[in-house]
């Protein structure tokens, strides 16, 4: 039921506290059933277990209002929260139930934190308190607005010498303060060091590592630490002291300057053993440009014998400062501090000194005027803080584009089924205006003069075309177009547009339709997006290269001066030129968490003229944003995506296609990739919190989930072994997609050497090999789980993509979706003789086989339902089996995330939903005034 505003009589959602039209506070008696993602709705929740997730707006323990989930780690979930009593932001860490259940653990936490709270230093994250709420234990600590060093290194690959030394020196200064108090960290690693927006390093989690093992003090035989950063004495189970922290800092400094830790291996045991027995590589040999003094300093930290290392952290700080001072000025990194308030200084004057000839006054005034008129741009100014304003409140607005003059916002919303509509909002006020409706509305762009909008849509014959729409509505007119029209950018005068097709860019004359091709050099899978500079003839584009890395580059419209600016495994989205064409903005990140970056560009060459830097961090957004021509405003879509796992069980009677359904997971995370164990009792799945995605296992009939991977990376597609003892999965750990396996209880995660891993899903049970999609989805790779040897399903490929391989019960055949032209659909491929049989046309994806091997179950969305059909494995005939419903609150099912029990009676599937609204940010770039 809508909540009507008593002032303007507009309808609002039930849970909204203020009117979306006039801002009037709504009737407080309206019940709040579920908080919308971007309204501050307060309700109190008391938890009995941390398997529950706290939604945005929840007031936990009567005090902490949840803002967002920051991640999930070995101890539990971490949230950013507003402390309503102290009126400040804090980090809230909920301890896992299996840890909290031990009373001695809670006692140790309390004792250790009493000690850790004594540390008061700018480079140590402050620990506040340890609490209990019901059966839930939680910590509160200082919230640091930035990213952990592990993410920083992964994103940057290799840090500059100045940045690495600066972070190491600050970390050492924080350690020195702790060591003075007799406090040793014991688990120092990049994941426990935060780097804020000003470049300040802060150490986290003092005292926590020791709390997780026996007694209040650590005795011999208790191994604490992370293998990659563990000192030799810790590997041997001997007591750790300050020199153990110095060793760990040496490993971290090595990793910052070399892009990898000094010791690597296939298992944690092998890495730990190398720390104990192998000499580290000489840093200067790996990175010749670093100073010799820095190389010696790192090797001193990494001495096996702790009596040969730095004996105190103060000594290390002194040497790091000396290295930093000796760096060239351009290499040094000075953390930015908040500007101090200027004080007025009283002064005494003698009257006769104020008697100045009039001619001098005139001269001084003239000079002052010259400075104000011509040198103002060189004078430092205080940066204005970004100001956020929500523009839409429907939860369905997408693809924002703000007019060049900053007065109008255009965006796309769904209309009736299969149609979309283009809306224009006057930012001065008033309701939005619908200006177009059609089956396709993509790549919404304003023309440079701001009088028309362009979209990639459908014409009267349902063909993809380029359409121009008047700003205030009217007849859409088609434009001569070329190529596949998958992207679009306008020239500065609006007479040409650029679009992409495959790995080339086409420059098209708007009037004549004449086309000029711009060929991009190198090996790319495709061009994702592009933008035309507001001045000149230069384009910026994003691609995915043959290494499956995202890349950002520039090129002139004549094909010359192609430059690569940025590349990496994190998504690069929406490249946008600044007004003057001297910088490029772009999104960089994973999942829903994206950072807005900028990089300065040379007008002469298109090369980067400075380092890329973050200007807005941790935006919950999709892939599109827009900037006004004055560079002061940015519009973007704030996106909240959830994914939950549901269980569907078929009824026992007759031909009834109905099923009973129940939710297995809830919360704000995205739960995907369900995989039911061979015995049908357990479920493996992936929980994606935006920054990391880890594997969990839970009983299929309900119960607490337990985390089995702790790689702090994006992991995907679990698949059980036939005996149920191991689980294979894809991980981005180490910056490269590889197939791993781990025991079903979480021990001994081990990577395979196979590369060229594509897709996000695997298959194993009931076959004897692990199946995966290769990059480009042109074949199915097969890994021997014992030897690691790799083979391929298709020996002589004939084109087309392959998805969702599924073994037959005897492991001799594989069902797969293959869009091989002209027979697109489900195929059965024999592993014995390679025979390929086309069975069923269409877009259904294989889910599994019946126990007798006669039928292949396949899934396809049908409206809000998930249709399950059975396909005859010999003749290809089909029959409908089940219609699995979605959920009005959770969303619609996905055919890519479906798993079934061996008897075909239970299905676990992922139901996803996204809410998107448009926000406007003023002063988003501190350098634009």
């Amino acid at each position: 039921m809508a909540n009507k505003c008593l002032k303007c009589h507009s309808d609002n959602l039930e849970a909204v506290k203020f009117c979306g039209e006039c801002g009037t506070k709504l009737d407080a008696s309206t019940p709040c059933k579920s908080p919308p993602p971007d309204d501050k709705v307060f309700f109190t929740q008391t938890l009995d277990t941390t398997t529950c997730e706290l939604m945005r707006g929840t007031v936990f323990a009567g005090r902490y209002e949840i803002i967002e989930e920051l991640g999930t780690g070995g101890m539990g979930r971490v949230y950013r929260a507003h402390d309503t009593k102290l009126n400040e932001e804090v980090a809230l860490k909920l301890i896992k139930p299996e840890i909290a259940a031990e009373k001695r653990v809670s006692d140790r936490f309390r004792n250790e934190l009493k000690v850790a709270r004594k540390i008061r230093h700018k480079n140590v994250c402050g620990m506040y308190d340890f609490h209990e709420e019901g059966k839930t234990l939680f910590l509160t600590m200082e919230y640091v607005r930035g990213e952990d060093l592990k993410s920083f290194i992964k994103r940057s690959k290799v840090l500059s010498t100045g940045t690495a030394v600066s972070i190491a020196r600050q970390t050492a200064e924080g350690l020195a303060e702790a060591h003075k108090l007799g406090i040793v960290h014991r688990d120092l690693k990049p994941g426990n060091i935060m780097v804020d927006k000003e470049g300040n390093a802060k150490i986290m989690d003092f005292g926590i590592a020791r709390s997780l093992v026996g007694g209040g003090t650590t005795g011999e035989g208790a191994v604490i630490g992370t293998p990659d950063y563990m000192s030799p004495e810790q590997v041997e189970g001997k007591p750790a002291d300050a020199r153990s922290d110095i060793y760990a800092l040496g490993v971290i400094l090595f990793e910052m300057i070399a892009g990898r830790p000094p010791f690597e291996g296939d298992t944690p045991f092998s890495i730990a053993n190398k720390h104990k027995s192998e000499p580290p590589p000489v840093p200067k040999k790996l990175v010749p440009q670093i100073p010799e003094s820095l190389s010696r300093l790192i090797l001193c930290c990494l001495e096996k014998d702790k009596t040969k290392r730095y004996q105190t952290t103060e000594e290390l700080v002194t040497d790091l400062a000396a290295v930093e001072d000796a760096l060239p000025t351009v290499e040094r990194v000075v953390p930015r501090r908040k500007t101090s308030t200027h004080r007025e200084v009283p002064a005494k004057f003698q009257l006769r000194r104020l008697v100045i000839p009039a001619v001098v006054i005139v001269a001084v005034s003239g000079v002052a005027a010259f400075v104000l008129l011509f040198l103002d741009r060189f004078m430092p100014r205080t940066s204005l803080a970004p100001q956020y304003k929500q523009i839409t409140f429907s939860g369905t607005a997408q693809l924002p584009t703000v007019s060049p003059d900053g007065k109008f916002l255009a965006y796309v919303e769904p209309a009736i089924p299969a149609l979309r509509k283009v809306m224009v909002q006057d930012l001065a006020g008033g309701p939005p205006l619908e200006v177009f409706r059609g089956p396709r509305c993509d790549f919404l762009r304003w023309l440079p003069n701001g009088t028309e909008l362009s979209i990639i849509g459908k014409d009267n014959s349902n063909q993809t075309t380029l359409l121009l729409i008047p700003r205030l509505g009217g007849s859409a007119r088609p434009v001569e177009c070329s190529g596949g029209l998958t992207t679009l950018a306008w020239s500065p005068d609006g007479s040409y547009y650029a679009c992409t097709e495959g790995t080339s860019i086409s420059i098209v004359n708007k009037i004549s339709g004449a086309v000029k091709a711009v060929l991009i050099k190198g090996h790319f899978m495709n061009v994702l997006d592009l933008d035309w500079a507001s001045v000149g003839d230069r384009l910026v584009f994003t691609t995915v290269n043959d290494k499956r890395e995202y890349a950002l580059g520039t090129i002139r419209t004549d094909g010359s001066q192609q430059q690569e600016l940025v590349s990496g495994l994190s998504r690069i989205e929406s490249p946008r030129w600044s007004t003057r064409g001297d910088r490029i903005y772009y999104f960089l990140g994973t999942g829903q968490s994206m950072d807005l970056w900028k990089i300065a560009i040379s007008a002469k060459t298109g090369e980067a003229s400075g380092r890329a830097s973050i200007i807005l961090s941790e935006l919950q957004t999709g892939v599109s944003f827009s900037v006004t021509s004055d560079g002061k405003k940015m519009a973007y879509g704030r996106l909240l995506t959830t994914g939950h796992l549901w269980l569907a069980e078929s009824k026992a009677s007759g031909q009834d296609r109905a099923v009973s359904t129940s939710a297995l997971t809830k919360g704000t995370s995205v739960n995907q990739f369900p995989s039911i164990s061979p015995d049908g009792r357990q479920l493996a799945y992936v929980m994606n919190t935006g920054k990391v995605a880890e594997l969990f296992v839970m009983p299929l009939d309900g119960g607490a989930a337990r985390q089995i991977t702790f790689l702090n990376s994006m992991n995907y597609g679990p698949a059980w072994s036939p005996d149920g003892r191991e689980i294979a999965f894809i991980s981005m750990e180490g910056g490269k997609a590889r197939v791993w396996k781990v025991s079903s209880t979480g021990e001994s995660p081990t990577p395979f050497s196979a590369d060229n891993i594509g897709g996000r899903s695997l298959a194993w049970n009931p076959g004897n090999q692990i199946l995966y999609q290769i990059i480009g989805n042109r074949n199915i790779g097969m890994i021997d789980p014992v030897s690691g040897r790799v083979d391929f399903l298709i020996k002589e490929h004939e084109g087309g993509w392959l998805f969702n391989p599924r073994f037959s019960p005897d492991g001799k055949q594989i069902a797969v979706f293959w869009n091989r032209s002209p027979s697109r659909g489900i195929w059965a491929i024999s592993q014995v003789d390679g025979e390929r049989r086309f069975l069923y046309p269409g877009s259904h994806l294989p889910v599994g086989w019946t126990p007798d091997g006669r039928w292949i179950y396949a899934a396809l969305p049908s409206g809000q339902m998930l249709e399950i059909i059975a396909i005859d494995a010999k003749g290809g005939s089909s029959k409908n089996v089940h219609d699995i419903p979605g959920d009005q609150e959770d969303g619609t099912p996905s055919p890519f995330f479906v798993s079934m029990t061996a008897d075909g009676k239970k299905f676990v599937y992922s139901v996803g939903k996204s809410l998107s609204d448009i926000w406007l940010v003023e002063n988003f770039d501190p350098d634009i005034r």
Side-chain angles (χ1 to χ4, degrees):
M1 180 178 177
N3 192 2
K4 186 173 290 292
C5 176
L6 298 179
K7 180 178 180 181
C8 70
H9 306 290
S10 299
D11 288 333
N12 295 272
L13 295 176
E14 285 185 345
V16 174
K17 297 180 67 178
F18 298 90
C19 177
E21 288 294 331
C22 66
T24 301
K25 188 172 183 180
L26 301 176
D27 185 359
S29 64
T30 303
C32 292
K33 294 185 178 179
S34 60
D38 292 310
D39 278 278
K40 187 179 289 185
V41 180
F42 292 87
F43 62 98
T44 302
Q45 181 176 359
T46 300
L47 300 182
D48 290 329
T49 171
T50 54
T51 55
C52 295
E53 298 177 46
L54 300 181
M55 297 178 63
R56 186 182 189 275
T58 303
V59 177
F60 176 69
R63 173 173 178 175
Y64 303 100
E65 181 196 351
I66 303 302
I67 299 173
E68 62 177 326
E69 183 175 325
L70 298 175
T72 303
M75 289 179 55
R77 297 185 188 279
V78 185
Y79 296 90
R80 174 184 168 199
H82 177 72
D83 186 335
T84 58
K85 290 187 177 180
L86 298 180
N87 193 29
E88 65 180 16
E89 288 188 3
V90 299
L92 185 72
K93 181 173 288 191
L94 272 61
I95 310 302
K96 286 184 174 180
E98 55 267 33
I99 297 176
E102 294 282 342
K103 183 179 184 302
R104 55 181 180 174
V105 171
S106 64
D107 291 341
R108 284 197 299 272
F109 266 126
R110 193 171 281 107
N111 292 334
E112 291 292 338
L113 291 178
K114 285 180 181 177
V115 178
R117 286 176 59 180
K118 296 178 181 178
I119 309 173
R120 292 289 185 267
H121 193 270
K122 64 184 180 182
N123 297 120
V124 176
C125 181
M127 301 294 291
Y128 295 155
D129 214 339
F130 179 66
H131 307 268
E132 295 184 42
E133 173 67 12
K135 297 180 181 179
T136 302
L137 304 183
F138 66 98
L139 305 168
T140 54
M141 63 194 76
E142 176 186 358
Y143 170 66
V144 181
R145 191 178 296 273
E147 65 179 324
D148 61 66
L149 183 56
K150 180 180 178 69
S151 301
F152 189 15
I153 294 172
K154 184 176 291 188
R155 173 170 51 78
S156 304
K157 294 185 179 179
V158 176
L159 275 57
S160 69
T161 303
T163 300
V165 173
S166 174
I167 292 173
R169 176 185 51 75
Q170 294 179 70
T171 304
E173 289 174 352
L175 286 174
E177 182 66 21
H179 293 166
K180 287 179 185 177
L181 300 172
I183 303 171
V184 181
H185 194 290
R186 293 177 175 82
D187 192 24
L188 190 68
K189 56 189 176 184
N192 281 336
I193 300 173
M194 292 294 295
V195 181
D196 68 16
K197 292 182 177 181
E198 283 72 43
N200 302 304
K202 287 180 176 283
I203 309 169
M204 299 190 300
D205 290 353
F206 267 104
I208 289 179
R210 189 166 65 170
S211 298
L212 294 175
V213 296
T217 60
T218 306
E220 293 197 22
V223 179
I224 303 175
T226 302
D228 281 341
Y229 309 94
M230 196 180 290
S231 66
E233 59 269 19
Q234 288 175 286
V235 173
E236 295 176 349
K238 296 178 180 179
D241 59 21
R243 292 167 294 183
S244 305
D245 285 349
I246 291 173
Y247 184 93
L249 183 53
V251 176
I252 295 168
L253 182 51
F254 186 106
E255 184 175 357
M256 285 192 288
I257 62 104
R260 66 171 181 83
F263 303 113
E264 296 178 303
D266 293 334
T267 66
F269 175 80
S270 66
I271 297 172
N273 191 54
K274 289 179 180 179
H275 278 289
K276 178 182 174 183
S277 58
E278 287 190 12
V282 177
K284 181 71 173 176
K285 291 183 179 179
L286 291 178
V287 191
Q289 63 267 33
I290 68 170
E292 180 64 39
S293 57
L294 178 58
S295 183
R296 290 194 303 268
L297 181 150
I298 294 172
L299 292 175
C300 183
C301 293
L302 297 181
E303 286 284 356
K304 306 295 183 190
D305 183 351
K306 62 183 179 181
T307 63
K308 296 181 180 179
R309 290 176 215 151
Y310 287 98
Q311 295 301 290
T312 67
T313 328
E314 288 86 348
E315 296 175 21
L316 177 57
V317 170
T318 300
D319 281 4
L320 282 167
V323 171
E324 193 170 22
D325 290 342
L327 292 174
T329 304
V330 295
E331 286 258 357
R332 298 181 197 168
V333 176
V334 179
R336 293 177 290 174
R337 305 292 180 186
K338 294 182 180 179
T339 305
S340 302
T341 304
H342 294 291
R343 295 178 298 167
E344 294 185 3
V345 181
K348 298 180 179 179
F349 296 91
Q350 295 181 10
L351 181 61
R352 59 186 176 85
R353 292 183 179 178
L354 298 178
V355 181
I356 305 172
V359 65
V360 176
I361 296 176
V362 173
V364 171
S365 300
V367 172
F370 175 81
V371 170
L372 290 174
L373 289 174
F374 298 102
L375 301 183
D376 178 65
R377 63 191 182 97
F378 296 105
M379 301 296 290
R381 297 181 183 178
T382 303
S383 298
L384 298 175
Q387 297 181 356
Y388 293 79
K389 180 181 180 181
Q390 186 172 353
I391 305 300
T392 70
F393 297 85
S394 64
T396 57
Q398 301 174 348
L399 305 178
T401 179
V402 62
S403 61
D405 60 8
K407 295 181 178 180
F408 295 90
L409 174 77
Y411 57 93
V412 174
E413 284 197 320
I416 60 175
L419 290 181
R420 307 177 82 189
K421 56 185 179 181
V422 176
M423 310 295 293
V424 172
Q425 173 71 61
D426 186 338
L427 294 176
L433 176 68
E434 181 180 331
V435 298
F436 179 80
R437 182 177 293 214
R440 184 183 178 187
C441 301
D442 291 332
F443 283 91
L444 189 61
R445 298 285 189 271
W446 288 94
L447 267 68
N449 61 15
T451 61
E452 291 181 299
L453 285 159
S454 67
I455 64 166
I456 297 176
K458 299 278 189 180
D459 60 18
N460 294 331
S461 60
N462 203 35
Q463 297 297 311
T464 298
T465 190
L466 177 60
L467 300 173
L468 297 185
I469 307 165
R471 182 179 68 192
L472 300 180
S475 299
R477 56 190 179 94
V479 176
E480 290 289 338
C481 59
S482 174
L485 278 180
T486 56
T487 57
L488 186 70
W490 287 97
S491 64
D493 62 2
S495 59
Y496 293 87
Y497 67 87
C499 59
T500 63
E501 185 171 12
T503 58
S504 66
I505 298 174
S506 297
I507 307 296
V508 186
N509 186 298
K510 183 179 73 171
I511 304 300
S512 67
V515 180
K516 180 180 69 173
V518 180
L519 298 180
I520 300 176
K521 302 173 185 177
H523 300 286
F524 303 108
M525 295 177 65
N526 55 356
V527 179
L528 302 177
D529 200 356
L530 79 164
D531 193 34
W532 198 318
S534 56
V535 290
D537 61 351
R538 201 173 299 279
L539 302 167
V540 60
F541 61 92
T542 55
T543 66
V544 175
N545 60 27
D546 56 352
K547 298 178 182 178
R548 207 173 181 83
E549 293 179 328
Y550 290 88
L552 178 74
T554 60
I555 192 170
R556 294 183 63 185
T557 55
D558 62 3
S560 64
Q561 293 187 343
Q562 179 180 335
Q563 309 287 353
E564 182 175 290
L565 307 176
V566 180
S567 66
L569 292 168
S570 296
R571 284 166 45 202
I572 300 174
E573 304 282 3
S574 296
R576 299 290 181 261
W577 287 96
S578 66
T579 304
R580 298 192 296 267
D582 59 349
R583 70 193 70 187
I584 294 169
Y585 302 110
Y586 59 95
F587 280 150
L588 180 71
T590 58
Q592 288 180 204
S593 181
M594 305 290 281
D595 299 325
L596 181 66
W597 285 69
K598 70 176 178 182
I599 186 168
I601 302 298
S602 166
K604 293 183 179 180
T605 65
E607 295 178 297
S609 58
R611 291 175 59 87
S613 60
I614 297 178
I615 51 177
L616 293 177
S617 62
E618 298 181 12
L619 297 174
Q620 287 181 298
T621 185
V623 296
S624 181
F625 71 94
S626 172
V627 178
T628 55
S629 59
D630 63 4
K632 294 182 178 180
K633 298 178 183 178
M634 180 193 82
Y636 76 99
R638 180 173 290 185
L639 178 68
L640 176 65
T641 300
T642 56
H644 301 303
L645 299 178
W646 283 69
L647 173 66
E649 299 183 70
S650 63
K651 296 183 177 180
S653 59
Q655 300 297 316
D656 192 349
R657 294 165 55 190
V659 294
S660 61
T661 61
S662 58
L664 294 176
T665 64
K666 284 289 184 182
T668 58
S669 297
V670 179
N671 299 299
Q672 296 174 318
F673 303 103
S675 179
I676 301 174
S677 63
D679 62 8
R681 296 180 179 178
Q682 298 187 83
L683 175 71
Y685 66 96
V686 169
M687 179 187 292
N688 186 335
T689 58
K691 293 182 178 180
V692 297
E694 300 285 9
L695 266 64
F696 287 75
V697 171
M698 67 180 294
L700 189 59
D701 58 1
R706 52 189 170 83
Q707 186 174 344
I708 64 168
T709 63
F710 300 88
L711 299 176
N712 197 30
S713 63
M714 301 302 290
N715 304 306
Y716 309 99
W720 292 82
S721 63
D723 61 9
R725 295 180 179 179
E726 295 179 301
I727 299 174
F729 63 98
I730 298 172
S731 177
M732 299 301 297
E733 177 70 14
K736 180 180 181 181
R738 299 173 74 180
V739 175
W740 290 56
K741 67 176 181 179
V742 63
S743 75
S744 58
T745 54
E747 289 86 15
S748 306
T750 306
F752 293 97
S753 60
D755 55 11
N756 207 27
I757 309 297
R760 291 291 183 263
S761 63
L762 301 175
W764 191 353
N765 173 56
N768 58 1
Q769 293 174 305
I770 302 171
L771 306 181
Y772 65 93
Q773 295 165 214
I774 68 167
I775 290 178
N777 302 313
R778 299 290 179 174
N779 208 336
I780 299 295
M782 303 186 296
I783 300 175
D784 184 310
V786 178
S787 67
R789 187 177 64 88
V790 176
D791 199 356
F792 294 97
L793 178 62
I794 306 297
K795 307 302 180 184
E796 297 178 3
H797 201 269
E798 300 174 20
W801 297 347
L802 297 95
F803 298 99
N804 279 46
R806 296 292 184 266
F807 275 111
S808 62
D810 60 8
K812 295 181 179 180
Q813 294 190 81
I814 296 173
V816 65
F817 173 83
W818 194 358
N819 73 339
R820 174 184 173 189
S821 181
S823 303
R824 177 181 183 273
I826 292 181
W827 291 65
I829 302 174
S830 171
Q831 277 204 289
V832 178
D833 56 15
E835 179 190 8
R836 311 171 191 178
R837 290 181 294 111
F838 176 64
L839 295 177
Y840 189 81
S843 300
H844 287 77
L845 298 178
V847 174
W849 296 63
T850 56
D852 58 8
R854 180 182 174 186
W855 300 93
I856 300 168
Y857 280 8
L860 180 71
S862 178
Q864 294 292 313
M865 309 285 287
L866 186 65
E867 178 186 78
I868 304 292
I869 66 171
I871 302 166
D872 190 318
K874 291 184 178 180
S877 61
S878 68
K879 61 181 181 180
N880 290 326
V881 179
H882 300 301
D883 291 327
I884 299 177
D887 179 79
Q888 187 172 3
E889 295 230 354
D890 282 353
T892 56
S894 167
F896 285 96
F897 308 127
V898 183
S899 180
M900 60 179 270
T901 54
D903 60 9
K905 294 183 178 180
K906 295 182 180 180
F907 298 82
V908 176
Y909 56 101
S910 178
V911 174
K913 185 177 183 180
S914 295
L915 295 174
S916 177
D917 275 302
I918 311 303
W919 286 65
L920 194 69
V921 188
E922 294 192 50
N923 311 317
F924 72 97
D925 185 346
D927 293 333
I928 303 296
R929 302 180 179 87

